């Protein structure tokens, strides 16, 4: 029998420890490289933090598998068994340029279902944590179920690169949405944006092409507070592939999908 309470306790401990190491590393100089394009950054700390988790998971739970952004984990074609989906630093651009607003994001899944979600805002020392069926927390404070919200009073997080790059959806369909809502934000960390939806600080998040390590932990949080997440086509997530994401309060998700994204096709 899997001891989920043990996994949960150890995972929280490791996330805090890794966060402390990242804060410590701020004193040292970073090695910064680029990946798919000149703005897709990775540092030695991203890689070292992923390695930190892999070494501990393999040493403590040898049967578990790991899907990590920096590719030092397993090459997975399925989510059978227990899988840790890890983004060692989500918001690397913020980490490099701003030294804040980045997070460690870890979703722990069993046979494709989210069991534990951990998003650690390293510089704020804020741990968003969810355990399937047992609620979501910000540090020790339980997160309330999301309340009904109106679109006119909504704040939505939206990635501005959408305006220039999106080939799937005509960017002009978002203009009336941006006009209708109370305000828009862009934080630069998908994990923190999803955590913000789970806390009700923002009412929806729309973005392109997130990878499983960007959205896995956030989805476990959203499950616990009644948040809704789909691809921008309204499809469920696979947790193995990249998706364009619409996550939000149920009422706001319904309006954005029905009146804007779906209306586009
Ligand atoms: C990125 C951030 C960013 C999102 C990108 C992600 P990274 O993750 O979450 O907010 O817009 O799509 O790739 O590269 O900093 O881990
Ligand atoms: Ca990421
Ligand atoms: Ca990352």
């Amino acid at each position: 029998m899997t001891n989920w309470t043990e996994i949960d306790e150890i995972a929280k401990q490791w996330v805090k420890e890794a966060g402390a190491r990242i804060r410590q590393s701020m004193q040292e100089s970073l090695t910064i490289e680029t990946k798919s394009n000149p703005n897709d950054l990775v540092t030695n700390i991203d890689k070292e933090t992923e390695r930190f988790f892999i070494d501990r998971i393999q040493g403590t739970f040898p049967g578990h598998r790991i899907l990590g952004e920096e590719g030092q984990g397993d090459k997975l074609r399925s989510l059978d068994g227990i899988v840790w989906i890890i983004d060692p630093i989500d918001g690397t651009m913020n980490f490099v340029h701003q030294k804040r607003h980045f997070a460690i994001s870890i979703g722990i899944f069993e046979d494709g279902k989210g069991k534990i979600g951990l998003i650690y805002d390293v510089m704020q020392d804020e741990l968003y944590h969810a355990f399937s069926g047992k609620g979501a927390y910000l540090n020790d404070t339980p997160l309330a179920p999301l309340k009904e919200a109106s679109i006119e009073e909504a704040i939505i997080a939206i990635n501005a690169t959408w305006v220039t790059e999106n080939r799937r959806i005509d960017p002009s369909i978002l203009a009336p949405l941006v006009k209708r809502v109370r305000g828009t934000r862009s934080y630069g960390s998908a994990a923190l944006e999803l955590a913000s939806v789970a806390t009700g600080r923002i009412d929806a998040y729309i973005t392109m092409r997130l990878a499983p390590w960007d959205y896995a932990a956030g989805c476990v949080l959203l499950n616990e507070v009644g948040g809704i997440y789909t691809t921008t086509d309204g499809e469920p997530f696979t947790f193995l592939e990249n998706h364009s994401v619409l996550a939000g309060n149920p009422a706001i998700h319904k309006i954005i999908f029905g009146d804007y994204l779906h209306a586009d096709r």
Side-chain angles (χ1 to χ4, degrees), residues 229-237 243-246 253 257 261:
Y229 48 86
T230 62
T231 69
T232 50
D233 295 326
E235 299 295 328
F237 293 171
H243 298 304
S244 290
V245 166
L246 169 62
H253 182 286
F257 182 69
L261 301 179

Side-chain angles (χ1 to χ4, degrees), residues 65 67 75-80 83 85 109 112 210-213 215 237-243:
R65 300 191 301 155
L67 180 60
K75 303 275 169 269
L76 297 191
R77 287 173 172 216
S78 83
L79 290 177
D80 295 345
V83 179
I85 306 179
F109 280 57
L210 291 188
W213 40 81
Y215 63 75
F237 293 171
T238 60
F239 296 96
L240 270 177
E241 292 158 309
N242 292 3
H243 298 304

Side-chain angles (χ1 to χ4, degrees), residues 191-222:
L192 290 177
E193 278 157 315
L194 291 168
S196 299
V197 174
T199 58
R201 290 175 189 159
I202 56 173
D203 301 291
Y205 173 46
I206 315 174
T207 195
M208 296 176 283
R209 288 190 303 270
L210 291 188
W213 40 81
D214 299 316
Y215 63 75
C219 291
V220 185
L221 284 172
L222 288 169

Side-chain angles (χ1 to χ4, degrees), residues 248-263:
N249 174 298
I252 304 297
H253 182 286
K254 192 168 173 215
I255 293 172
I256 296 178
F257 182 69
D259 291 5
Y260 299 92
L261 301 179
H262 189 60

Side-chain angles (χ1 to χ4, degrees), residues 35 39-42 46 69-70 87-95 101-103 159 161 186-193 205 207-211 213-215:
K35 296 195 282 187
N39 301 326
D40 185 7
L41 307 178
V42 62
D46 296 62
E69 175 170 19
E70 306 313 336
D87 193 336
I89 297 184
D90 181 62
T92 298
M93 199 186 289
N94 289 350
F95 172 61
H101 303 318
F102 60 88
N159 191 328
T161 52
S186 190
Y187 298 150
S189 158
L192 290 177
E193 278 157 315
Y205 173 46
T207 195
M208 296 176 283
R209 288 190 303 270
L210 291 188
W213 40 81
D214 299 316
Y215 63 75

